[in-house]
Amino acid sequence: MEFQINNRRIGPKTPVYIVAEISANHHQDFDQAVKLIEAAKKAGADAVKLQTYTPDTITIDCEDSYFQAGRGTPWEGRLLYDLYSEAFTPWEWQPKLKKIADEIEIDLFSTPFDHTAVDFLEKMDVPAYKIASFEIVDIPMIQKIAKTGKPIIMSTGMATLSEIEEAIHTIRKEGNNQTALLKCTSSYPALPEDMNLATIPHMAEAFDLIVGLSDHTLDVAVPVAAVTLGARIIEKHFTLSRDFQGPDSDFSLEPDELK
């Protein structure tokens, strides 16, 4: 079940692997992105994670209701194209950010959202891949990522058991046995009472894989509880300050909270 990202072993008896998700919290400021990486390292995180897409690789510029953020989200009613234009991490930043992360010895990898993003990240030589909950049914992309032979951390928030099983089968069919599953409740922010953490030991038993938690609650109690149930990876959105309002700030931890 164990696998390795750079020099860090991840397994049932290793320390919990902590991932700080930067997402949109750089607010389109490169220096802010650098400060986030440095602050994550100082707080004790093992990795920082980016997202690799552009508005045009993830959606289309359309005002139809199908292309607006849904009810009950912080972005309700906003056009997806506009939201992603605000939230995306410019691709020209990403190799520079990886170099900075390498220099201070914190892992940096990303979530791709299409095939061009996988090709781009391979040129960056990222040490691992994250697959978002919404992409767990994108079997061709999962197959492409699996063929890289690199570790894969896959969120399951939107998935049925059969969809998880198909994704894992796709990865294993390519000879890649370095996979972890993250329990995820796809609400932003998520309420502790909606987390259903009993899924964590169930997934570990059902799929015989490392399991963890991608957590959108507002504090640290839920991930602590998740670790007692067997989570070996914790992913949390991370910001320098929630006072810097942005698409993800309302469900992101500040440095002292991450520490």
Side-chain angles (χ1 to χ4, degrees):
M1 289 175 64
E2 284 195 6
F3 59 85
Q4 189 163 321
I5 297 178
N6 285 330
N7 296 319
R8 181 68 153 76
R9 298 294 300 174
I10 302 171
K13 297 182 179 180
T14 64
V16 176
Y17 188 75
I18 306 294
V19 181
E21 163 67 87
I22 291 176
S23 189
N25 287 322
H26 48 67
H27 307 295
Q28 296 297 315
D29 182 336
F30 178 79
D31 291 337
Q32 189 95 327
V34 173
K35 289 177 182 177
L36 280 161
I37 293 171
E38 293 171 341
K41 172 68 175 181
K42 187 175 180 180
D46 298 289
V48 289
K49 192 182 77 63
L50 310 177
Q51 296 182 10
T52 304
Y53 64 87
T54 71
D56 293 298
T57 64
I58 202 169
T59 189
I60 61 174
D61 190 359
C62 176
E63 296 187 3
D64 189 280
S65 60
Y66 289 108
F67 295 91
Q68 296 177 13
R71 293 181 180 178
T73 71
W75 321 289
E76 183 174 331
R78 289 197 61 186
L79 293 181
L80 293 178
Y81 193 90
D82 293 344
L83 177 62
Y84 292 134
S85 296
E86 178 184 341
F88 87 109
T89 302
W91 288 29
E92 64 269 21
W93 291 6
Q94 297 188 31
K96 300 174 188 176
L97 294 176
K98 183 176 183 296
K99 184 178 180 182
I100 290 165
D102 289 345
E103 288 171 353
I104 64 173
E105 298 183 337
I106 186 170
D107 297 339
L108 182 147
F109 52 93
S110 186
T111 302
F113 286 85
D114 79 316
H115 288 240
T116 66
V118 179
D119 292 335
F120 177 80
L121 292 169
E122 275 298 282
K123 291 179 182 177
M124 273 175 56
D125 195 26
V126 292
Y129 283 92
K130 169 72 189 300
I131 295 173
S133 295
F134 292 85
E135 306 308 313
I136 198 169
V137 292
D138 188 346
I139 297 303
M141 189 178 74
I142 291 173
Q143 184 179 41
K144 185 179 180 75
I145 292 170
K147 286 180 176 179
T148 69
K150 293 178 180 176
I152 297 170
I153 299 172
M154 187 158 54
S155 283
T156 60
M158 304 296 292
T160 64
L161 277 173
S162 62
E163 288 168 343
I164 297 170
E165 187 173 22
E166 183 179 13
I168 293 169
H169 175 73
T170 299
I171 294 167
R172 287 173 170 164
K173 192 175 178 181
E174 296 301 330
N176 189 327
N177 296 308
Q178 304 177 86
T179 308
L181 295 175
L182 301 188
K183 160 64 184 164
C184 178
T185 298
S186 295
S187 300
Y188 308 90
L191 299 175
E193 56 266 33
D194 293 336
M195 291 303 293
N196 190 20
L197 295 181
T199 306
I200 290 171
H202 176 242
M203 286 198 305
E205 182 179 354
F207 299 111
D208 192 28
L209 292 172
I210 298 297
V211 293
L213 176 69
S214 177
D215 183 34
H216 304 129
T217 61
L218 294 179
D219 61 23
V220 298
V222 167
V224 169
V227 171
T228 71
L229 291 167
R232 310 312 302 155
I233 301 171
I234 299 292
E235 179 186 81
K236 279 289 230 180
H237 283 248
F238 179 56
T239 183
L240 294 176
S241 171
R242 283 187 291 274
D243 291 338
F244 302 145
Q245 280 295 304
D248 298 333
S249 53
D250 288 344
F251 51 91
S252 298
L253 295 185
E254 296 180 348
D256 286 347
E257 295 166 325
L258 181 67
K259 184 176 181 180

